[in-house]
Amino acid sequence: MIYSGLVIKIFNVSKLSIGKNNFCSLSSCYSNKVSTKTVSPVINSSSEDLSNVIPHLPNTFNLAAYVNQSEVLKKLLYLNVNLNKIEKKPHVAEKIMKLNFDDIKDHILFIKDYVKTDNIGKFFTINPMIFYESLEDLKIRVNYLQSKRFTHDQIEQIISKNAFWLMFSTIRIDRRLGFYQDKFNLIGNEIRFLATKQPKLITYNLQHVMTNTFVIKEEMGFEDHEMKQLILEKPKLWMLNQKVLLERFNYIHNIMKIPHATIVKCPGIILCRNFKLRQRHLFLEKLGRAQYNPSKENYVPLIALAEGTDLEFCQKYAKTDISNFNIFLKTL
């Protein structure tokens, strides 16, 4: 341990015998005379109950040290909230420590109406700062969704999938929904579908979304109606890194020669990592089976390159033993 040497030194000093010819201080030896000065003990006895005294802890403290003294932390643990993740943000942990159970009980009951019991701990782990939002504001934000004809099930999915949704005011949410509706020419049912399918996209960084929109339209060459199909089918495309998005499209469209219309029908292929696409495509190419046109013989659906295990891919599409695929990978 880091203090082992110090402990040994202290232990040895305590065993020093003091006699006529043997006197040593911690700094130096001065004389053979023994000091007769009385030394006060370092730790004095006390009759007070000190069980509640805890040491001062820095901002990187462990919340477990406070669980026995904090009813709030006990209740959060009971809900399966992961305190380890909360304490990684000291400013958040400090604010949670200042709460009383009366401050949060109504919030818990409110959220419980929209988040399943099994997921409520995860919800508060991700967004413990919701306890600092006015309960009245939270109700107004849910009422707004109801006024926009979102069903109760849709509202449940939105709040469960995006723990930060309720941190946005109704004005901000309304502007975000309006942005996507206008940008991609969505009707009411379509914007509700998009918000329910990927609620994180609605509250995502708008600058990132606009950049990806430019990349998909101008650099990748998709038409407006194709972009609408893409965002409804795979909204996560608008949350990808722009460089990654272009690299994947370039391999699929320019190397594999897959046309835009085919990609629109199978947009999940763009979510697949390039190395996996490349491995499976080159293997099919070697076998003479890299045929992705459904109107021709030996058709292999594009999604086969992205989904399923290697064993399933070999058996169903490559029509060969997986050992041949593994040998092929060693040549790449």
Side-chain angles (χ1 to χ4, degrees):
M1 291 178 62
I2 211 166
Y3 297 110
S4 59
L6 179 59
V7 171
I8 292 171
K9 288 180 181 179
I10 294 173
F11 179 74
N12 288 338
V13 167
S14 68
K15 297 200 316 184
L16 287 174
S17 59
I18 303 176
K20 290 183 179 180
N21 300 315
N22 186 15
F23 174 75
C24 184
S25 68
L26 291 177
S27 58
S28 61
C29 294
Y30 290 101
S31 69
N32 293 329
K33 294 182 180 180
V34 180
S35 173
T36 58
K37 185 178 179 180
T38 303
V39 180
S40 300
V42 177
I43 302 177
N44 294 318
S45 60
S46 174
S47 59
E48 295 181 33
D49 180 12
L50 303 177
S51 61
N52 290 325
V53 177
I54 56 176
H56 167 73
L57 296 173
N59 287 339
T60 56
F61 61 81
N62 186 335
L63 284 178
Y66 294 93
V67 170
N68 290 335
Q69 288 78 33
S70 172
E71 186 182 7
V72 168
L73 295 184
K74 287 179 183 177
K75 297 298 184 182
L76 293 180
L77 279 177
Y78 179 76
L79 293 172
N80 292 322
V81 174
N82 190 333
L83 298 182
N84 290 330
K85 291 188 176 181
I86 293 178
E87 68 189 19
K88 289 179 180 178
K89 298 179 179 179
H91 65 287
V92 175
E94 184 179 354
K95 292 180 78 71
I96 296 302
M97 284 296 300
K98 294 178 181 178
L99 293 170
N100 296 315
F101 182 61
D102 288 339
D103 299 326
I104 71 170
K105 63 180 181 181
D106 290 335
H107 287 70
I108 294 174
L109 292 174
F110 177 79
I111 294 300
K112 190 174 180 292
D113 288 338
Y114 301 99
V115 178
K116 293 181 180 179
T117 304
D118 293 342
N119 295 326
I120 200 165
K122 181 180 178 182
F123 179 92
F124 288 123
T125 298
I126 295 172
N127 184 18
M129 290 303 292
I130 198 168
F131 293 127
Y132 277 88
E133 291 291 311
S134 161
L135 191 62
E136 190 62 31
D137 286 342
L138 298 182
K139 292 178 180 178
I140 290 172
R141 291 163 193 174
V142 169
N143 290 340
Y144 166 80
L145 291 176
Q146 293 170 341
S147 71
K148 294 299 181 180
R149 298 170 56 192
F150 283 85
T151 66
H152 184 81
D153 287 344
Q154 288 175 326
I155 296 173
E156 279 187 347
Q157 290 185 59
I158 288 170
I159 296 175
S160 295
K161 290 179 181 178
N162 185 356
F164 294 103
W165 181 285
L166 290 176
M167 304 296 283
F168 284 68
S169 68
T170 55
I171 294 176
R172 292 183 69 191
I173 290 295
D174 189 68
R175 287 174 179 169
R176 294 297 184 95
L177 293 177
F179 165 80
Y180 286 100
Q181 189 167 18
D182 293 340
K183 193 71 176 177
F184 301 98
N185 195 28
L186 304 176
I187 60 175
N189 285 337
E190 290 170 338
I191 190 63
R192 284 188 285 270
F193 173 82
L194 176 63
T196 304
K197 183 170 185 175
Q198 186 52 269
K200 290 182 180 179
L201 178 64
I202 307 301
T203 60
Y204 209 69
N205 183 291
L206 273 185
Q207 185 60 49
H208 183 101
V209 172
M210 289 188 287
T211 300
N212 275 24
T213 300
F214 177 84
V215 168
I216 292 171
K217 182 177 182 178
E218 304 299 336
E219 298 189 45
M220 293 166 60
F222 286 99
E223 301 291 339
D224 287 343
H225 70 279
E226 292 175 324
M227 284 204 305
K228 178 177 177 177
Q229 288 180 258
L230 288 173
I231 199 169
L232 289 175
E233 183 64 28
K234 293 296 176 184
K236 194 175 180 181
L237 293 174
W238 271 258
M239 299 163 69
L240 288 180
N241 174 275
Q242 291 88 18
K243 182 180 178 182
V244 170
L245 188 61
L246 274 173
E247 286 176 348
R248 293 179 185 178
F249 173 79
N250 180 62
Y251 190 84
I252 296 167
H253 182 66
N254 296 322
I255 297 178
M256 293 174 59
K257 305 301 180 183
I258 307 298
H260 287 82
T262 304
I263 296 174
V264 169
K265 293 178 182 178
C266 185
I269 193 69
I270 308 178
L271 296 177
C272 183
R273 294 180 183 274
N274 253 10
F275 79 90
K276 189 174 184 179
L277 281 176
R278 180 172 174 271
Q279 288 175 351
R280 293 188 177 186
H281 170 68
L282 291 178
F283 186 59
L284 289 176
E285 202 172 52
K286 180 183 178 182
L287 298 175
R289 305 187 67 88
Q291 205 291 93
Y292 308 111
N293 188 333
S295 63
K296 296 182 180 180
E297 194 177 353
N298 295 324
Y299 164 66
V300 174
L302 266 183
I303 200 63
L305 303 180
E307 294 183 347
T309 64
D310 288 343
L311 178 61
E312 292 169 339
F313 166 73
C314 290
Q315 290 177 341
K316 192 171 182 179
Y317 302 106
K319 308 295 184 183
T320 187
D321 193 90
I322 191 171
S323 60
N324 295 325
F325 182 58
N326 290 332
I327 292 171
F328 170 77
L329 293 181
K330 294 177 181 179
T331 65
L332 296 179

